[in-house]
Amino acid sequence: RGMTAACRCASGMYRMDLLGKVKEKVANGSWDVVGLYKNQLYYIAFNDKTQECSLYKKNLTNGKRTRVCKSVNEGSVKVNVENGKLYYASEITYTKKAPIYEMNLKTGKTKAIINVKHLYSLSIYGDCISYNYSSKDNLVATAVYNMKTKKTVNLGSYYVS
């Protein structure tokens, strides 16, 4: 009762009931779901015209869609539903440090929590952000930032050919 699923199709994302009947079109074109929190669907949509990805939330009760931020990197957006927080990097840069942001999904307030140079992916594990970044000489490094202690530990690197 009331449960739905999302269907990925070339023409967009559709909300369906569990019997496969389409209830509504949620997004056009290319998209990637990053999380669900309190009946809000968070997803990244790619705009073919502008060639950029934007992070959206859609209220599944009233259908209202809101752009959370634009110019996000697909691999750098994660939702931690347990803590009611969304983590993302809106700017991926290879020349300067870019912030990883934390958004409180209850209040909508956003703050930068750490700056990372050459960031290309992140994951959330409890109170820690694990992220990968490229370093010199085609090396990819992994680090973990503890949000409680505000300390970073580098876990090592590997060579990418």
Side-chain angles (χ1 to χ4, degrees), residues 57 69 79 82 93 102 130 152 155 160:
K57 70 176 180 178
C69 69
V79 173
E82 290 177 22
T93 177
E102 174 187 87
S130 171
T152 301
L155 301 179
V160 177

Side-chain angles (χ1 to χ4, degrees), residues 21 30 126 151:
K21 183 178 178 185
S30 301
K151 296 192 186 283

Side-chain angles (χ1 to χ4, degrees), residues 28-65:
N28 293 317
S30 301
W31 55 270
D32 191 22
V33 172
V34 294
L36 183 65
Y37 181 75
K38 294 197 175 185
N39 218 31
Q40 299 278 338
L41 176 69
Y42 290 84
Y43 65 95
I44 297 171
F46 181 74
N47 185 319
D48 289 324
K49 291 179 185 172
T50 64
Q51 296 293 301
E52 69 181 11
C53 293
S54 294
L55 174 64
Y56 291 92
K57 70 176 180 178
K58 180 152 185 168
N59 184 309
L60 296 177
T61 303
N62 64 22
K64 182 180 176 187
R65 181 178 93 151

